[in-house]
Amino acid sequence: MGEVAITYRILPETTDIDLKELGDRVRDVSEGIGKIQGMQEKPIAFGLTALLIRVIIEDKEGGPDEIESALSGISGVQSVEVMDMTRLL
Amino acid sequence: MAEKPHMNLVFIGHVDHGKSTLVGRMLLETGHIEQHIIDKYREQAEAKGKGSFEFAWVMDALKEERERGLTIDVAHKRFNSDKYYFTIIDAPGHRDFVKNMITGTSQADAAVLVVASPEGVMAQTKEHVFLARTLGVGQLIVAINKMDATKPPFSEERYNEVKEETTNLLKTVGYKMDNVQCLPVSAFKGDNTVKASENMGWYKGITMLQALDNLTLPEKPSGKPLRLPVQDVYTSTGVGTVPVGRVETGVLKPDTKIMFMPSNKVGEVKTIEMHHEQITQAEPGDNVGFNVRGVSRNDIRRGDVAGPVDDPPTVVKSFTAQIMVLNHPSVITAGYTPVFHCHTAQVACTVEAIQKKLDPKTGDVKEENPDFIKTGDAAVIKVRPTRPMVIERAKDFPQLGRFAIRDMGQTVAAGMCIDVEQK
Ligand SMILES: Nc1nc2c(ncn2[C@@H]2O[C@H](COP(=O)(O)OP(=O)(O)OP(=O)(O)O)[C@@H](O)[C@H]2O)c(=O)[nH]1
Ligand SMILES: [Mg+2]
């Protein structure tokens, strides 16, 4: 089975949240579920900055559920949105 | 030179029918694999005593290339034809990814359906065709692949059989054949991908590359009324209420009144920002934040859709939908109340009636008012949301008319809204 690369946009609960620390927590919870292949801060509007991450997971049963519930459960995370998704060749 | 127009191209088809190989072939033959990579693999193979150039090396090279890591910005393979530049989306095979295809990713402009000629239409071919239709992908290229592996090889008869089988399937889900181009290829050997095949003298049609050039650029939906599903709502000191979301259709402009539905709140857009910079208008695909006067943070929420006051998003009492059951452990009957994921909304909805079961082979109605439907069935159903919800006819707003149905942690079905009964 192949692998799928998904780009998520993570919005913090407030504009005060430290995105470096949030990024560390993202790495921690993703361990063992998927491989983080990129992380980047993305300015949105009026001081709100999102965290973009690219995760590689297996193309199999369960799909993105496990990684999505792990990411959504991180303290300081407001929402997790799929920006982009493709199988890797 | 001005950049060529861009198209998002999604590759779909059953497992192992050759999607990756066809992408690899197109990349190679349009000169989008770096020569030094090809040379390196050629040298290695020659050192091992395998003389001739093998296409399999190219696939290895591509795998290795991605191991080196891609950045967030360059997630996709891309290649150019004469007319366009394409970015490639290779659809995941497992149905548990369908929810993300429907609610998450950007709009695909065209699809390439790969069907292996020795096998023909298979289960995942049907799922992916239905998915493409649900995603609002209007144009389709059907690459009937592995023509070198038919019995006998490059069989015209087999091509016609598979073509007919596929055409029937496409008609079932509502494709117009004017927008579909079927062609025979061997992705592995390179027949009819970029050059006409010497092995298929009976075929007088166009190549894969020509078919790609013949695609037409779908109109940007900026001419439609505004639809902006709200992802989240923030408050910022001195700025006020800031909804965040992606414009799906229409244009968002400062100093205009907009309406949030189903919360039924009107506000005035003051300033719009994207990447922390003020912009004069937001267009389809733009991810923006904007401040609105007259609306407090608690007035609106994720799942609301913003639209013009004189043409607000449709709040439904009930709606009619065409669905495909992807994975349900037993059967679906009237009364079933799973969660519908539609744009940014998640709403429990009751299946009030199963009106028709459709035959995926012919497109005909197989049964009126069936008692139940199960995995693999396509059907027309009537649905009633348990609380106010915005959904649009997929014909009018594809991005707001498609949904995934989830239950017990699984994606049970996917579908699109074909009619609405307004509240
Ligand atoms: N004979 C022949 N084999 C092919 C052709 N195209 C692909 N194959 C073979 O079919 C197998 C599957 O090809 P892939 O390109 O990996 O198929 P896929 O659709 O990407 O498969 P998944 O990503 O797993 O769904 C490989 O062994 C390929 O070499 C073809 O035109 N002719
Ligand atoms: Mg593949």
Side-chain angles (χ1 to χ4, degrees), chain A residues 3 9 11-12 43-44 46-49 59 61-62 64-65 68 78-79 81-88, chain B residues 62 66 72 75-76 89-90 93-94 96-97 99-101 104 231-232 234 244 273 275-276 287 302 406 409:
Chain A
E3 291 173 311
R9 181 172 90 169
L11 287 176
I44 306 290
F46 304 104
L48 175 69
T49 300
D59 188 357
E61 177 154 9
D65 287 347
E68 282 173 20
Q78 174 74 29
S79 67
E81 212 77 37
V82 181
M83 301 300 283
D84 189 43
M85 177 168 77
T86 182
R87 276 277 292 265
L88 294 173
Chain B
L62 285 171
R66 82 160 157 90
I72 284 181
H76 295 276
I89 304 159
D90 187 356
H94 203 281
D96 287 350
F97 289 84
K99 179 200 67 175
N100 285 5
M101 295 290 294
Q231 271 163 21
D232 282 300
Y234 291 84
V244 172
E273 287 195 1
H275 315 309
H276 284 336
N287 277 291
R302 181 185 173 84
R406 306 256 306 164

Side-chain angles (χ1 to χ4, degrees), chain A residues 87, chain B residues 14-21 145-146 148-149 186-188:
Chain A
R87 276 277 292 265
Chain B
H14 193 69
V15 182
D16 273 355
H17 278 202
K19 299 177 291 295
S20 302
T21 308
N145 188 33
K146 304 198 188 183
D148 57 294
S186 167
F188 194 75

Side-chain angles (χ1 to χ4, degrees), chain B residues 217-224 283-286:
Chain B
L217 209 55
E219 221 171 294
K220 241 198 171 193
S222 26
K224 293 188 176 182
E283 293 178 9
D286 289 349

Side-chain angles (χ1 to χ4, degrees), chain A residues 34-84:
Chain A
K35 195 165 79 196
I36 305 272
Q37 218 192 24
M39 198 182 279
Q40 169 184 315
E41 290 183 14
K42 179 100 174 168
I44 306 290
F46 304 104
L48 175 69
T49 300
L51 200 59
L52 283 191
I53 64 162
R54 189 158 191 264
V55 192
I56 316 282
I57 57 173
E58 298 277 320
D59 188 357
K60 62 169 198 210
E61 177 154 9
D65 287 347
E66 197 182 354
I67 188 76
E68 282 173 20
S69 66
L71 294 172
S72 308
I74 296 173
S75 81
V77 169
Q78 174 74 29
S79 67
V80 178
E81 212 77 37
V82 181
M83 301 300 283
D84 189 43

Side-chain angles (χ1 to χ4, degrees), chain B residues 115-128:
Chain B
V115 186
S117 49
E119 287 173 286
V121 168
M122 304 291 282
Q124 193 177 298
T125 318
K126 289 183 201 160
E127 284 178 20
H128 275 180

